[in-house]
Amino acid sequence: MGQSKSRGKTITNYVLMAVILLIFTIPLYWLVIGSVKTNMEFNQVPPTFWPKQFELGNYLTAWKQLDFKTAFINSSIVTVVCTVLNIITGVLAGYVLSKKNVFGGKLILGMIIATLIVPPAVLLLPLYFIITKMGMYDSLIALVLPFAANAYTIYFMKQYIDDIPNELFEAASIDGIGEVGMMMKIVFPLITPALATVGLINFVGNWNSFTMPLVLLRSDEKFTLPLKQALLANATDVNEWPLILAATVLSIIPVLIVFIGSQKMFVKGIMEGAVKG
Amino acid sequence: MKSMISKLKSHGWGYLFLLPALLIMVLFNFYPIIWSFIVSFNKTKAIEIKQAGLFDIPGKFVALDNYMQVLKNDLFIKSIGNTAYFAIIFIPLTLILSLLLAVYINKKFRGVNFFRTVLFIPYIISVISSSLIFLALFNSESGFINAVLKQFNIDGPNWLSNEWLAMPVIAIMSIWRRVGYFMLMYLAGLQNIPTSLYEVAEIDGATPFQRFRYIVVPLLSNITIVIFVLLLRDVLTVFQEVYVMTGGGPGNSTVTVPFLIYNEAFNYLRYGTAAAMSYILFMITVVVVIFQNKFTKKKHSTR
């Protein structure tokens, strides 16, 4: 009796799971099958739920029209450099704000955290102004430098470093290890999980960034993938939606690969972050 | 004396480590916030922006003139209404759905890991990509949604050309993108609730709903606050989805505050009013956060 009841429960569980998964993946399904339809089939009413004919040529055209190679390289440079700089500045600042009793440290931390509630729209115009005045308008540096440190990363790192016992640093200090040594031998090794999480969150954020590139770039050959993608969508005739969808699949694939390769760390980091926060 | 010198020495290291982050925060966060604030009280022409130096504040002081103009601007008022309409759909649904999903996968059964991975995928897809996907999904003729409705002999509406339906479509997309992320945050909270609490409640004869209502919901209130603030942030950044999906239409029904600020600054080159708008947005954020803090503190102290 009890067994059949629990089996019934398991079956309900799986049915529910299947339904939720189905609802969630419909947009992705529609994206992928739309990207391989011919223009004619895509615009036919009512639409088909399975393509009659697979038109893989859409991907070739999308690749060319996105100028995928250039845009991919631009996006990669911005994303990787920005993520690495963010981690370095974040760990250094987090370490000091957590373990060093520097004068004004509390105030600095408070001000950094306060910037988290500033709506990004407030920064749009002044960042454009500052970047232009610094002579960095329409360069990839403009997409890196302003974002090479951010409040979220600094705060997250501080929280993590708080958990490292002070005794470790004291012992190291007695052994005559300097500050740089402490970073390399204690801080970095002990916060690797945090580094992975923050790194991934930064990676995804930078890879998908659109508004700042839109405001700070002008020339085609410097455009990042999302910018190219939006421009292609704007310029493309409504009859050529399969092309837009193929371009979308191409833009998603790189970040999807990174995610699938690291999703365990991702999940762990977010869950730990939630409890800490 | 000696200890003070050594203290300064070690603090010197501290400041050196702090320097890179601080320089960037000051130049690209603190300074812009102040710059924007001052410009919001100035009348600034495009030419003045061009000619100003990095640490100049361009324009002429006009006191509250920009704010007055903005508050009299019907489109601005409408954009606040639109943003609120979005928030009313987006925030409660995201909170409820992510909590329910978290409760659902907080059980041990095979496939849970796969489930949460799949639900998390939309979060890594850019807003541009998901906007394009949802345009295809909700297209009145070639879209999936109306095709399914057709199977039931329902003529689906023209979603994105309808003044009342365009914003909900944007909200649904935003919910789809974020639920997996917040589900994980809630899941973390759930796994921190001691199982003994449930056992005691069960002995007392609490129904599953009562357990949910009196154990799960209150004990997760801290995480709910964090998620609420994050959702609020999302509400106040709705720009890209409007830029790609509707361009603010139909009939300005999807013009959000950030979208209007962008247009004001970069299409109409009205910097002063754009800055004033962004500061009104800022003030709204601050008020909501303060109100929210007060409210949650009170709730805690009465318990």
Side-chain angles (χ1 to χ4, degrees):
Chain A
M1 177 76 186
Q3 208 175 13
S4 80
K5 198 177 161 195
S6 83
R7 180 177 289 169
K9 243 184 177 169
T10 320
I11 291 170
T12 338
N13 259 343
Y14 282 115
V15 171
L16 192 59
M17 180 157 104
V19 172
I20 297 171
L21 282 178
L22 195 69
I23 293 171
F24 254 82
T25 46
I26 283 169
L28 298 175
Y29 172 74
W30 203 244
L31 163 72
V32 175
I33 66 154
S35 73
V36 293
K37 283 182 181 175
T38 60
N39 288 345
M40 209 161 69
E41 188 180 353
F42 188 90
N43 290 300
Q44 131 193 357
V45 182
T48 47
F49 289 92
W50 185 252
K52 278 180 242 154
Q53 191 193 323
F54 285 82
E55 178 56 64
L56 293 170
N58 293 331
Y59 280 85
L60 217 64
T61 321
W63 182 281
K64 274 193 213 125
Q65 298 223 3
L66 278 179
D67 200 355
F68 188 85
K69 216 175 97 188
T70 315
F72 176 83
I73 292 172
N74 290 342
S75 273
S76 305
I77 292 173
V78 170
T79 304
V80 172
V81 176
C82 211
T83 305
V84 170
L85 287 180
N86 227 299
I87 285 179
I88 295 174
T89 57
V91 174
L92 289 177
Y95 169 60
V96 175
L97 293 171
S98 169
K99 296 295 179 197
K100 298 278 155 190
N101 212 352
V102 292
F103 178 76
K106 281 232 168 71
L107 180 72
I108 292 171
L109 182 66
M111 283 173 72
I112 289 174
I113 292 173
T115 63
L116 284 172
I117 63 161
V118 179
V122 173
L123 301 178
L124 214 54
L125 181 56
L127 275 180
Y128 166 77
F129 175 80
I130 293 167
I131 290 293
T132 312
K133 295 306 158 190
M134 291 176 82
M136 299 192 298
Y137 178 74
D138 197 27
S139 70
L140 292 184
I141 307 170
L143 302 185
V144 172
L145 200 58
F147 310 100
N150 82 61
Y152 173 77
T153 309
I154 296 170
Y155 179 65
F156 196 89
M157 291 307 180
K158 188 217 163 256
Q159 294 282 90
Y160 243 89
I161 296 170
D162 277 346
D163 288 350
I164 304 177
N166 289 330
E167 288 79 11
L168 272 177
F169 294 102
E170 283 158 19
S173 162
I174 290 167
D175 287 346
I177 293 174
E179 298 290 342
V180 178
M182 301 240 195
M183 294 301 301
M184 304 311 286
K185 289 193 178 122
I186 301 175
V187 178
F188 272 107
L190 283 178
I191 61 165
T192 346
L195 294 180
T197 307
V198 170
L200 283 167
I201 288 172
N202 270 302
F203 186 93
V204 173
N206 287 319
W207 185 266
N208 292 337
S209 162
F210 174 74
T211 314
M212 280 339 273
L214 177 72
V215 170
L216 297 178
L217 296 179
R218 186 180 37 199
S219 18
D220 259 13
E221 72 272 10
K222 288 178 186 132
F223 282 176
T224 53
L225 262 176
L227 211 50
K228 270 282 183 196
Q229 203 189 340
L231 285 177
L232 175 65
N234 261 344
T236 306
D237 191 74
V238 272
N239 295 322
E240 293 178 83
W241 259 89
L243 170 65
I244 297 173
L245 294 179
T248 304
V249 174
L250 286 179
S251 316
I252 293 174
I253 287 174
V255 72
L256 194 65
I257 290 173
V258 170
F259 169 68
I260 289 173
S262 58
Q263 50 109 355
K264 267 202 184 115
M265 277 190 283
F266 224 127
V267 168
K268 203 171 150 248
I270 286 160
M271 291 182 64
E272 276 177 17
V275 179
K276 271 187 197 296
Chain B
M1 191 62 201
K2 200 168 184 183
S3 78
M4 247 182 88
I5 291 172
S6 72
K7 208 174 173 187
L8 198 72
K9 233 177 162 181
S10 76
H11 283 190
W13 272 107
Y15 288 116
L16 196 66
F17 280 9
L18 206 51
L19 200 63
L22 212 53
L23 267 181
I24 290 162
M25 293 298 292
V26 168
L27 191 56
F28 298 108
N29 281 286
F30 301 157
Y31 178 54
I33 293 167
I34 297 164
W35 187 92
S36 233
F37 185 67
I38 300 175
V39 166
S40 75
F41 298 103
N42 283 6
K43 188 142 207 92
T44 309
K45 296 186 190 114
I47 184 84
E48 290 167 315
I49 288 264
K50 253 201 187 116
Q51 286 166 349
L54 176 55
F55 294 105
D56 292 340
I57 304 289
K60 192 175 88 229
F61 183 73
V62 292
L64 289 172
D65 221 39
N66 292 327
Y67 287 88
M68 289 312 191
Q69 269 189 44
V70 168
L71 292 173
K72 272 188 281 183
N73 182 343
D74 290 340
L75 190 53
F76 182 73
I77 306 297
K78 193 175 167 72
S79 74
I80 290 185
N82 291 340
T83 311
Y85 182 37
F86 174 83
I88 288 169
I89 304 167
F90 170 67
I91 293 183
L93 276 177
T94 312
L95 280 172
I96 294 168
L97 282 175
S98 39
L99 177 58
L100 289 180
L101 285 169
V103 170
Y104 168 65
I105 62 164
N106 191 27
K107 298 175 226 161
K108 291 253 179 298
F109 59 89
R110 270 175 57 177
V112 162
N113 286 340
F114 176 72
F115 183 83
R116 62 181 189 200
T117 305
V118 173
L119 254 65
F120 194 85
I121 286 177
Y123 183 77
I124 61 156
I125 295 176
S126 71
V127 179
I128 298 303
S129 295
S130 29
S131 297
L132 293 171
I133 296 171
F134 272 69
L135 273 181
L137 205 65
F138 279 90
N139 186 300
S140 63
E141 253 125 51
S142 62
F144 176 88
I145 302 293
N146 281 0
V148 171
L149 290 176
K150 195 95 207 153
Q151 304 286 317
F152 298 98
N153 274 326
I154 302 168
D155 273 325
N158 211 333
W159 297 93
L160 288 151
S161 322
N162 179 305
E163 280 200 37
W164 289 104
L165 294 176
M167 203 52 129
V169 171
I170 296 177
I172 291 170
M173 182 201 90
S174 307
I175 295 166
W176 175 74
R177 279 194 71 232
R178 287 171 176 84
V179 155
Y181 187 90
F182 294 124
M183 173 189 77
L184 283 182
M185 283 181 71
Y186 268 132
L187 183 65
L190 282 174
Q191 295 185 346
N192 264 23
I193 297 178
T195 44
S196 56
L197 267 181
Y198 294 116
E199 284 155 15
V200 170
E202 209 159 344
I203 293 166
D204 285 349
T207 64
F209 177 74
Q210 283 172 329
R211 269 179 292 173
F212 179 74
R213 171 69 188 81
Y214 295 105
I215 299 177
V216 173
V217 173
L219 282 177
L220 289 182
S221 67
N222 276 337
I223 291 184
T224 305
I225 293 165
V226 175
I227 297 182
F228 181 85
V229 173
L230 293 174
L231 289 174
L232 193 71
R233 218 180 136 71
D234 288 335
V235 168
L236 300 176
T237 47
V238 176
F239 165 75
Q240 307 174 30
E241 29 296 66
V242 175
Y243 185 90
V244 174
M245 288 173 87
T246 61
N252 289 329
S253 65
T254 55
V255 172
T256 57
V257 183
F259 183 77
L260 188 60
I261 294 172
Y262 172 85
N263 267 341
E264 194 81 0
F266 295 102
N267 285 338
Y268 306 126
L269 308 177
R270 291 192 290 249
Y271 301 111
T273 41
M277 283 177 185
S278 67
Y279 259 85
I280 294 175
L281 184 70
F282 194 1
M283 283 184 273
I284 296 174
T285 322
V286 171
V287 169
V288 175
V289 170
I290 290 173
F291 177 78
Q292 218 261 336
N293 269 339
K294 275 238 167 71
F295 174 73
T296 46
K297 273 211 187 95
K298 222 183 204 161
K299 237 176 108 189
H300 275 286
S301 58
T302 51
R303 189 161 282 123

PDB file of all heavy atoms in Angstrom, chain A residues 14-30:
ATOM      1  N   TYR A  14       7.548  12.942 -11.870  1.00  0.00           N
ATOM      2  CA  TYR A  14       8.159  12.939 -13.196  1.00  0.00           C
ATOM      3  C   TYR A  14       7.268  13.577 -14.247  1.00  0.00           C
ATOM      4  O   TYR A  14       7.752  14.259 -15.136  1.00  0.00           O
ATOM      5  CB  TYR A  14       8.573  11.515 -13.593  1.00  0.00           C
ATOM      6  CG  TYR A  14       9.858  11.119 -12.914  1.00  0.00           C
ATOM      7  CD1 TYR A  14       9.893  10.091 -11.987  1.00  0.00           C
ATOM      8  CD2 TYR A  14      11.032  11.830 -13.157  1.00  0.00           C
ATOM      9  CE1 TYR A  14      11.068   9.754 -11.327  1.00  0.00           C
ATOM     10  CE2 TYR A  14      12.207  11.510 -12.505  1.00  0.00           C
ATOM     11  CZ  TYR A  14      12.222  10.471 -11.587  1.00  0.00           C
ATOM     12  OH  TYR A  14      13.382  10.167 -10.938  1.00  0.00           O
ATOM     13  N   VAL A  15       5.972  13.357 -14.122  1.00  0.00           N
ATOM     14  CA  VAL A  15       5.054  13.986 -15.067  1.00  0.00           C
ATOM     15  C   VAL A  15       5.155  15.500 -14.931  1.00  0.00           C
ATOM     16  O   VAL A  15       5.310  16.236 -15.906  1.00  0.00           O
ATOM     17  CB  VAL A  15       3.599  13.515 -14.842  1.00  0.00           C
ATOM     18  CG1 VAL A  15       2.634  14.355 -15.681  1.00  0.00           C
ATOM     19  CG2 VAL A  15       3.463  12.049 -15.197  1.00  0.00           C
ATOM     20  N   LEU A  16       5.145  15.959 -13.679  1.00  0.00           N
ATOM     21  CA  LEU A  16       5.249  17.402 -13.418  1.00  0.00           C
ATOM     22  C   LEU A  16       6.557  17.952 -13.981  1.00  0.00           C
ATOM     23  O   LEU A  16       6.596  18.998 -14.630  1.00  0.00           O
ATOM     24  CB  LEU A  16       5.173  17.634 -11.905  1.00  0.00           C
ATOM     25  CG  LEU A  16       4.980  19.079 -11.464  1.00  0.00           C
ATOM     26  CD1 LEU A  16       3.704  19.652 -12.050  1.00  0.00           C
ATOM     27  CD2 LEU A  16       4.913  19.144  -9.933  1.00  0.00           C
ATOM     28  N   MET A  17       7.628  17.194 -13.738  1.00  0.00           N
ATOM     29  CA  MET A  17       8.927  17.636 -14.217  1.00  0.00           C
ATOM     30  C   MET A  17       8.918  17.766 -15.741  1.00  0.00           C
ATOM     31  O   MET A  17       9.409  18.754 -16.292  1.00  0.00           O
ATOM     32  CB  MET A  17      10.001  16.639 -13.781  1.00  0.00           C
ATOM     33  CG  MET A  17      11.382  17.014 -14.219  1.00  0.00           C
ATOM     34  SD  MET A  17      12.626  16.259 -13.187  1.00  0.00           S
ATOM     35  CE  MET A  17      13.181  14.962 -14.246  1.00  0.00           C
ATOM     36  N   ALA A  18       8.352  16.761 -16.409  1.00  0.00           N
ATOM     37  CA  ALA A  18       8.316  16.779 -17.871  1.00  0.00           C
ATOM     38  C   ALA A  18       7.547  17.995 -18.369  1.00  0.00           C
ATOM     39  O   ALA A  18       7.972  18.678 -19.299  1.00  0.00           O
ATOM     40  CB  ALA A  18       7.693  15.491 -18.396  1.00  0.00           C
ATOM     41  N   VAL A  19       6.415  18.282 -17.705  1.00  0.00           N
ATOM     42  CA  VAL A  19       5.584  19.414 -18.146  1.00  0.00           C
ATOM     43  C   VAL A  19       6.352  20.733 -17.984  1.00  0.00           C
ATOM     44  O   VAL A  19       6.391  21.562 -18.896  1.00  0.00           O
ATOM     45  CB  VAL A  19       4.259  19.452 -17.352  1.00  0.00           C
ATOM     46  CG1 VAL A  19       3.497  20.737 -17.665  1.00  0.00           C
ATOM     47  CG2 VAL A  19       3.410  18.247 -17.693  1.00  0.00           C
ATOM     48  N   ILE A  20       6.980  20.904 -16.826  1.00  0.00           N
ATOM     49  CA  ILE A  20       7.716  22.152 -16.587  1.00  0.00           C
ATOM     50  C   ILE A  20       8.861  22.294 -17.586  1.00  0.00           C
ATOM     51  O   ILE A  20       9.074  23.354 -18.175  1.00  0.00           O
ATOM     52  CB  ILE A  20       8.260  22.201 -15.138  1.00  0.00           C
ATOM     53  CG1 ILE A  20       7.095  22.197 -14.142  1.00  0.00           C
ATOM     54  CG2 ILE A  20       9.103  23.455 -14.924  1.00  0.00           C
ATOM     55  CD1 ILE A  20       7.530  22.028 -12.700  1.00  0.00           C
ATOM     56  N   LEU A  21       9.586  21.191 -17.789  1.00  0.00           N
ATOM     57  CA  LEU A  21      10.705  21.249 -18.743  1.00  0.00           C
ATOM     58  C   LEU A  21      10.208  21.615 -20.134  1.00  0.00           C
ATOM     59  O   LEU A  21      10.826  22.418 -20.834  1.00  0.00           O
ATOM     60  CB  LEU A  21      11.440  19.910 -18.781  1.00  0.00           C
ATOM     61  CG  LEU A  21      12.399  19.637 -17.629  1.00  0.00           C
ATOM     62  CD1 LEU A  21      13.027  18.264 -17.763  1.00  0.00           C
ATOM     63  CD2 LEU A  21      13.489  20.707 -17.574  1.00  0.00           C
ATOM     64  N   LEU A  22       9.082  21.020 -20.504  1.00  0.00           N
ATOM     65  CA  LEU A  22       8.520  21.284 -21.825  1.00  0.00           C
ATOM     66  C   LEU A  22       8.219  22.773 -21.979  1.00  0.00           C
ATOM     67  O   LEU A  22       8.637  23.413 -22.949  1.00  0.00           O
ATOM     68  CB  LEU A  22       7.246  20.457 -21.998  1.00  0.00           C
ATOM     69  CG  LEU A  22       6.734  20.341 -23.422  1.00  0.00           C
ATOM     70  CD1 LEU A  22       7.694  19.483 -24.227  1.00  0.00           C
ATOM     71  CD2 LEU A  22       5.335  19.745 -23.455  1.00  0.00           C
ATOM     72  N   ILE A  23       7.506  23.337 -20.993  1.00  0.00           N
ATOM     73  CA  ILE A  23       7.139  24.756 -21.077  1.00  0.00           C
ATOM     74  C   ILE A  23       8.389  25.624 -21.170  1.00  0.00           C
ATOM     75  O   ILE A  23       8.465  26.555 -21.949  1.00  0.00           O
ATOM     76  CB  ILE A  23       6.286  25.156 -19.856  1.00  0.00           C
ATOM     77  CG1 ILE A  23       4.934  24.445 -19.915  1.00  0.00           C
ATOM     78  CG2 ILE A  23       6.087  26.668 -19.808  1.00  0.00           C
ATOM     79  CD1 ILE A  23       4.100  24.596 -18.669  1.00  0.00           C
ATOM     80  N   PHE A  24       9.403  25.257 -20.378  1.00  0.00           N
ATOM     81  CA  PHE A  24      10.604  26.078 -20.349  1.00  0.00           C
ATOM     82  C   PHE A  24      11.421  26.013 -21.618  1.00  0.00           C
ATOM     83  O   PHE A  24      12.111  26.974 -21.962  1.00  0.00           O
ATOM     84  CB  PHE A  24      11.479  25.676 -19.149  1.00  0.00           C
ATOM     85  CG  PHE A  24      11.410  26.685 -18.081  1.00  0.00           C
ATOM     86  CD1 PHE A  24      10.354  26.685 -17.196  1.00  0.00           C
ATOM     87  CD2 PHE A  24      12.361  27.689 -17.989  1.00  0.00           C
ATOM     88  CE1 PHE A  24      10.253  27.651 -16.231  1.00  0.00           C
ATOM     89  CE2 PHE A  24      12.259  28.665 -17.024  1.00  0.00           C
ATOM     90  CZ  PHE A  24      11.209  28.642 -16.148  1.00  0.00           C
ATOM     91  N   THR A  25      11.368  24.872 -22.288  1.00  0.00           N
ATOM     92  CA  THR A  25      12.249  24.730 -23.448  1.00  0.00           C
ATOM     93  C   THR A  25      11.571  25.106 -24.761  1.00  0.00           C
ATOM     94  O   THR A  25      12.229  25.138 -25.795  1.00  0.00           O
ATOM     95  CB  THR A  25      12.803  23.294 -23.539  1.00  0.00           C
ATOM     96  OG1 THR A  25      11.723  22.390 -23.326  1.00  0.00           O
ATOM     97  CG2 THR A  25      13.875  23.056 -22.513  1.00  0.00           C
ATOM     98  N   ILE A  26      10.271  25.409 -24.718  1.00  0.00           N
ATOM     99  CA  ILE A  26       9.580  25.789 -25.955  1.00  0.00           C
ATOM    100  C   ILE A  26      10.286  26.950 -26.681  1.00  0.00           C
ATOM    101  O   ILE A  26      10.533  26.860 -27.883  1.00  0.00           O
ATOM    102  CB  ILE A  26       8.100  26.112 -25.690  1.00  0.00           C
ATOM    103  CG1 ILE A  26       7.314  24.810 -25.512  1.00  0.00           C
ATOM    104  CG2 ILE A  26       7.490  26.916 -26.833  1.00  0.00           C
ATOM    105  CD1 ILE A  26       5.907  24.996 -24.998  1.00  0.00           C
ATOM    106  N   PRO A  27      10.661  28.022 -25.986  1.00  0.00           N
ATOM    107  CA  PRO A  27      11.341  29.113 -26.706  1.00  0.00           C
ATOM    108  C   PRO A  27      12.603  28.634 -27.410  1.00  0.00           C
ATOM    109  O   PRO A  27      12.882  29.045 -28.551  1.00  0.00           O
ATOM    110  CB  PRO A  27      11.679  30.108 -25.598  1.00  0.00           C
ATOM    111  CG  PRO A  27      10.658  29.864 -24.546  1.00  0.00           C
ATOM    112  CD  PRO A  27      10.407  28.386 -24.575  1.00  0.00           C
ATOM    113  N   LEU A  28      13.367  27.747 -26.739  1.00  0.00           N
ATOM    114  CA  LEU A  28      14.607  27.267 -27.342  1.00  0.00           C
ATOM    115  C   LEU A  28      14.311  26.375 -28.543  1.00  0.00           C
ATOM    116  O   LEU A  28      14.994  26.430 -29.565  1.00  0.00           O
ATOM    117  CB  LEU A  28      15.437  26.500 -26.306  1.00  0.00           C
ATOM    118  CG  LEU A  28      15.863  27.339 -25.111  1.00  0.00           C
ATOM    119  CD1 LEU A  28      16.578  26.493 -24.080  1.00  0.00           C
ATOM    120  CD2 LEU A  28      16.760  28.485 -25.574  1.00  0.00           C
ATOM    121  N   TYR A  29      13.271  25.560 -28.395  1.00  0.00           N
ATOM    122  CA  TYR A  29      12.858  24.697 -29.501  1.00  0.00           C
ATOM    123  C   TYR A  29      12.479  25.540 -30.708  1.00  0.00           C
ATOM    124  O   TYR A  29      12.916  25.295 -31.827  1.00  0.00           O
ATOM    125  CB  TYR A  29      11.684  23.831 -29.044  1.00  0.00           C
ATOM    126  CG  TYR A  29      11.039  23.040 -30.162  1.00  0.00           C
ATOM    127  CD1 TYR A  29      11.681  21.921 -30.688  1.00  0.00           C
ATOM    128  CD2 TYR A  29       9.809  23.415 -30.700  1.00  0.00           C
ATOM    129  CE1 TYR A  29      11.108  21.196 -31.718  1.00  0.00           C
ATOM    130  CE2 TYR A  29       9.228  22.702 -31.729  1.00  0.00           C
ATOM    131  CZ  TYR A  29       9.883  21.591 -32.232  1.00  0.00           C
ATOM    132  OH  TYR A  29       9.314  20.884 -33.254  1.00  0.00           O
ATOM    133  N   TRP A  30      11.673  26.570 -30.457  1.00  0.00           N
ATOM    134  CA  TRP A  30      11.211  27.424 -31.556  1.00  0.00           C
ATOM    135  C   TRP A  30      12.379  28.156 -32.215  1.00  0.00           C
ATOM    136  O   TRP A  30      12.391  28.368 -33.421  1.00  0.00           O
ATOM    137  CB  TRP A  30      10.169  28.411 -31.023  1.00  0.00           C
ATOM    138  CG  TRP A  30       9.252  28.921 -32.084  1.00  0.00           C
ATOM    139  CD1 TRP A  30       9.122  30.206 -32.526  1.00  0.00           C
ATOM    140  CD2 TRP A  30       8.311  28.153 -32.831  1.00  0.00           C
ATOM    141  NE1 TRP A  30       8.169  30.276 -33.511  1.00  0.00           N
ATOM    142  CE2 TRP A  30       7.654  29.032 -33.714  1.00  0.00           C
ATOM    143  CE3 TRP A  30       7.960  26.792 -32.852  1.00  0.00           C
ATOM    144  CZ2 TRP A  30       6.662  28.611 -34.606  1.00  0.00           C
ATOM    145  CZ3 TRP A  30       6.972  26.374 -33.738  1.00  0.00           C
ATOM    146  CH2 TRP A  30       6.335  27.275 -34.602  1.00  0.00           C
TER     147      TRP A  30
END
